[in-house]
Amino acid sequence: MSSPTPGASRVPKVRSTGVPSAEGCLGLVVFVALAAAAFYWFEIRDPWADQGVAVSKPATGTAEPSPAVPEPENGGMAEIAYDLQRKVIEGAGVTRQTSVECELTEVPDSAQDFGCTVTYDGIDVPYTVSITDVTTGLGMTVFQWDAKSEKAILTREGAFAGFWRDVSPTGATDLRCDDGIPEKKLVPMGRTGFYCYSTTDRGDHHRVEVAQGEHGLVFEYADD
């Protein structure tokens, strides 16, 4: 065995105990906390939590809006007038006083287009009515028709009520719609640029866009 070199000191060996340092524990805690926060932010948190105002059950409940005038027993122009009012009210989502004026007072005896205007609570909605087929016989007239408009009436009350009727039966909660939906406005058919929001019973968050469809208000998924 060699003797130690004069003037040199021995450095004792330090054994690792396997116990993590305080700095290591702190770093692990920070990492876990950040990972949990990221998971909450991107996977759990409602990405539209700060959007919209609360939607409550409408006074009419689940009842669909319909014209305030009685449905006619006979066909003819009265049938056309009633259905045009129904179309406008379905788009508005809430029943209001309506009236109709058409260029014709009787159903023509052959295919023909003519104009009608539905007035809903002071707003006019123009329609083009197309008589596509007319059959006359045995003292009565049978006809087929269609009507189209490039406009519809959007109402705040109707959008809120329609969204509640559409979503509440699924058990969704936290129903909200954009606060900027107008009280009453004539808008183009299709998407409106306004949204409603909900959370499913499984905790999934959804956003839908309010749109005007052929048969009234529709809510189209727009989660992206």
Side-chain angles (χ1 to χ4, degrees):
M1 176 182 298
S2 61
S3 59
T5 304
S9 61
R10 292 187 176 182
V11 179
K13 294 182 178 180
V14 179
R15 290 186 178 181
S16 172
T17 62
V19 179
S21 66
E23 292 83 357
C25 289
L26 179 60
L28 180 61
V29 170
V30 171
F31 174 79
V32 171
L34 290 175
F39 180 77
Y40 168 78
W41 188 265
F42 293 106
E43 300 295 335
I44 298 178
R45 178 185 179 273
D46 183 351
W48 305 289
D50 58 345
Q51 301 294 315
V53 294
V55 170
S56 57
K57 180 180 179 179
T60 53
T62 58
E64 297 286 344
S66 60
V69 296
E71 185 171 1
E73 297 181 359
N74 301 320
M77 290 298 294
E79 172 190 332
I80 293 175
Y82 180 86
D83 282 351
L84 291 179
Q85 292 174 88
R86 178 182 53 78
K87 284 177 176 289
V88 170
I89 289 173
E90 286 176 349
V94 60
T95 299
R96 291 288 184 270
Q97 288 296 321
T98 54
S99 62
V100 185
E101 289 189 5
C102 294
E103 294 174 346
L104 301 181
T105 57
E106 299 289 340
V107 175
D109 55 10
S110 61
Q112 185 177 338
D113 291 349
F114 58 93
C116 287
T117 299
V118 179
T119 301
Y120 173 96
D121 202 18
I123 297 180
D124 291 341
V125 183
Y127 275 89
T128 298
V129 178
S130 299
I131 304 296
T132 57
D133 183 68
V134 181
T135 303
T136 303
L138 300 177
M140 62 180 183
T141 299
V142 178
F143 65 95
Q144 295 181 358
W145 68 283
D146 190 16
K148 295 186 180 300
S149 179
E150 297 180 355
K151 301 286 186 178
I153 294 178
L154 175 67
T155 71
R156 177 189 176 92
E157 181 182 350
F160 279 39
F163 184 60
W164 185 92
R165 287 192 299 267
D166 191 64
V167 175
S168 62
T170 68
T173 59
D174 193 22
L175 308 187
R176 311 182 312 280
C177 287
D178 285 344
D179 195 27
I181 296 176
E183 292 294 332
K184 180 179 59 177
K185 184 178 181 180
L186 191 66
V187 298
M189 294 292 290
R191 294 175 176 266
T192 65
F194 296 105
Y195 297 88
C196 292
Y197 317 85
S198 64
T199 301
T200 69
D201 54 1
R202 299 178 58 183
D204 298 325
H205 307 293
H206 291 302
R207 180 179 73 162
V208 295
E209 185 171 1
V210 183
Q212 291 286 354
E214 183 178 354
H215 301 290
L217 277 174
V218 292
F219 300 91
E220 302 180 351
Y221 277 103
D223 286 345
D224 53 343

